[in-house]
Amino acid sequence: MKKINLSNPHIEALEPYMSARRIGGCGEIWLNANELPFPRQAFTLDVSEYHRYPDQGPDQVQATYADYAGVDPEQVLALRGADEAIDLLLRAYCQSGTDSIVINSPTYGMYQVCADIQNAAVIDVPLTADYQLDVAVITAQDNTKLVFICSPNNPTGNSFKREDIIDIVRHFESEAIVAIDEAYIEFCPEQSLISELKNFANLVVIRTMSKAFGLAGVHVGYLIANQSVMDIMRKVAAPYPLADPCAQIALQALEPAAVAFMQEQVAEINLIREAFCSTIQRFTAVKSVLPSAANFVLVTFTDSDKAWRALTDAGIVARQIPHPRLLDAIRFSIGTAKEMEAVIAVLEDLA
Ligand SMILES: Cc1ncc(COP(=O)(O)O)c(C=O)c1O
């Protein structure tokens, strides 16, 4: 058939994001997408209004999430996952072909992909040798519109020094939006930057229910910001951002008992992570285990191809990170204690 070649040239050249599902894999133990390994309790759905477009759902979800996050309801925009928040920020703040964003690699790949879709330039200020923010170089980027900081950072797992983040937000106060991606913040809630929202109009916080809340399949995320950013975001957000079943599930997952249940599961994952890290760092095949504040951990190996093959043979699907600094690394999402024992058994046997 004749090829239709009408797309924007920069879209034609685009590398799509390689999500865990797109990469796929083969096995019984899935530790590649930083999901929670525990299934959720059953949710109930009221289907009586499904012939109507949703309206109240998002308002209620926003108000309930605001209560959970400790902000005002007007500061919360519910969206189809944190990924939609990243995309909307790019579309709202970066003029195609002209503007740029700052990222700090290695970091979450969707900042680059959304910038590529918007035809915005990406200025990469790599993390320092100890995977912290290079504040001097970031704040020297005078012409940027949007700075993404992922804390805790995917894929390294560490969070960044609070004073560094605040220095960056303050530096760009009237020049650029600084978006803190807190996708994994429930695993280290004391590190959230939410309380700084009252001090900075350019600060944006991105959240999701895909990780600690165990709702990746429902895909609800949030953008949290002050009024001037919110006024802009509400112009670019889709008219019906959440499907009603997702809104109903999000509301039930935000009930106090469900939040307490989520926090118990987070505590369990943190314990499993610490036990896993302290066990594997003794193994001869393991070069280093990066300290993690999230539900995944980045491990470097003396021979990562060999480790990968052994894991694959054992039916364990983890994640290799296509970044030049991480060619010897494998990222493991923290699964159940039994799943992590299976990983330990494979790594222990590696020479
Ligand atoms: C840092 C980070 N931000 C955002 C997302 C996307 O979250 P969501 O499922 O809400 O789109 C992910 C998913 O892996 C992530 O790691």
Side-chain angles (χ1 to χ4, degrees):
M1 194 182 284
K2 201 169 152 221
K3 189 174 175 227
I4 304 290
N5 196 4
L6 302 171
S7 70
N8 280 334
H10 75 275
I11 298 288
E12 194 80 27
L14 191 83
E15 289 285 342
Y17 179 67
M18 292 306 285
S19 67
R21 287 291 170 278
R22 200 173 243 173
I23 296 168
C26 197
E28 293 78 50
I29 299 181
W30 291 83
L31 304 175
N32 62 342
N34 298 345
E35 297 147 335
L36 208 68
F38 315 119
R40 292 286 321 204
Q41 81 276 20
F43 294 102
T44 55
L45 289 182
D46 173 1
V47 301
S48 61
E49 291 294 316
Y50 278 6
H51 58 301
R52 304 281 180 206
Y53 283 109
D55 54 3
Q56 289 308 316
D59 280 350
Q60 268 176 289
V61 174
Q62 282 162 191
T64 313
Y65 192 83
D67 202 33
Y68 161 74
V71 295
D72 294 332
E74 317 75 75
Q75 292 179 292
V76 177
L77 187 63
L79 296 165
R80 287 165 293 211
D83 281 345
E84 191 177 21
I86 297 165
D87 183 44
L88 288 189
L89 284 169
L90 252 305
R91 286 203 272 146
Y93 285 97
C94 291
Q95 207 175 325
S96 176
T98 306
D99 289 330
S100 68
I101 68 165
V102 169
I103 64 167
N104 309 274
S105 80
T107 193
Y108 183 48
M110 279 299 285
Y111 313 134
Q112 172 87 51
V113 171
C114 292
D116 288 348
I117 293 170
Q118 181 61 12
N119 200 19
V122 175
I123 303 165
D124 181 13
V125 180
L127 295 175
T128 59
D130 58 350
Y131 295 114
Q132 285 294 319
L133 296 165
D134 195 335
V135 180
V137 180
I138 294 171
T139 52
Q141 307 307 317
D142 285 338
N143 275 324
T144 195
K145 294 295 279 297
L146 193 48
V147 180
F148 283 104
I149 296 177
C150 185
S151 190
N153 185 45
N154 179 8
T156 52
N158 61 307
S159 36
F160 300 127
K161 288 182 204 135
R162 191 181 186 84
E163 59 277 20
D164 284 357
I165 300 180
I166 292 173
D167 282 352
I168 292 166
V169 178
R170 186 178 293 113
H171 172 86
F172 286 109
E173 208 158 2
S174 46
E175 284 153 36
I177 302 294
V178 181
I180 316 296
D181 187 340
E182 294 192 346
Y184 300 95
I185 203 66
E186 280 82 7
F187 298 95
C188 52
E190 68 289 351
Q191 299 188 21
S192 173
L193 267 289
I194 284 274
S195 61
E196 293 297 330
L197 276 169
K198 61 181 180 310
N199 301 325
F200 299 105
N202 64 329
L203 176 63
V204 170
V205 176
I206 297 171
R207 295 278 190 90
T208 180
M209 298 183 88
S210 297
K211 308 298 178 183
F213 280 91
L215 292 177
V218 180
H219 210 210
V220 174
Y222 302 91
L223 184 140
I224 308 173
N226 288 306
Q227 194 186 335
S228 53
V229 172
M230 263 335 192
D231 288 347
I232 298 297
M233 297 317 292
R234 290 196 200 285
K235 291 184 194 191
V236 290
Y240 307 109
L242 291 195
D244 188 70
C246 301
Q248 289 192 45
I249 291 171
L251 271 178
Q252 290 168 53
L254 288 166
E255 283 168 11
V259 169
F261 179 66
M262 174 275 285
Q263 286 162 339
E264 275 168 34
Q265 295 195 322
V266 161
E268 189 176 342
I269 289 290
N270 283 347
L271 281 176
I272 298 171
R273 182 193 66 219
E274 290 313 300
F276 175 70
C277 292
S278 65
T279 305
I280 65 163
Q281 64 198 1
R282 301 194 306 264
F283 296 165
T284 44
V286 170
K287 260 203 304 199
S288 72
V289 182
L290 267 72
S292 170
N295 65 333
F296 57 89
V297 59
L298 193 72
V299 182
T300 62
F301 289 90
T302 49
D303 184 344
S304 66
D305 288 337
K306 191 173 171 191
W308 185 258
R309 278 194 306 275
L311 290 160
T312 308
D313 289 348
I316 296 166
V317 186
R319 187 81 177 251
Q320 288 174 307
I321 309 294
H323 187 276
R325 272 170 85 177
L326 301 179
L327 297 179
D328 59 351
I330 297 176
R331 192 195 70 189
F332 296 92
S333 309
I334 302 300
T336 61
K338 199 164 161 233
E339 288 171 332
M340 300 322 284
E341 274 162 27
V343 178
I344 288 171
V346 172
L347 302 185
E348 196 167 23
D349 284 348
L350 284 178

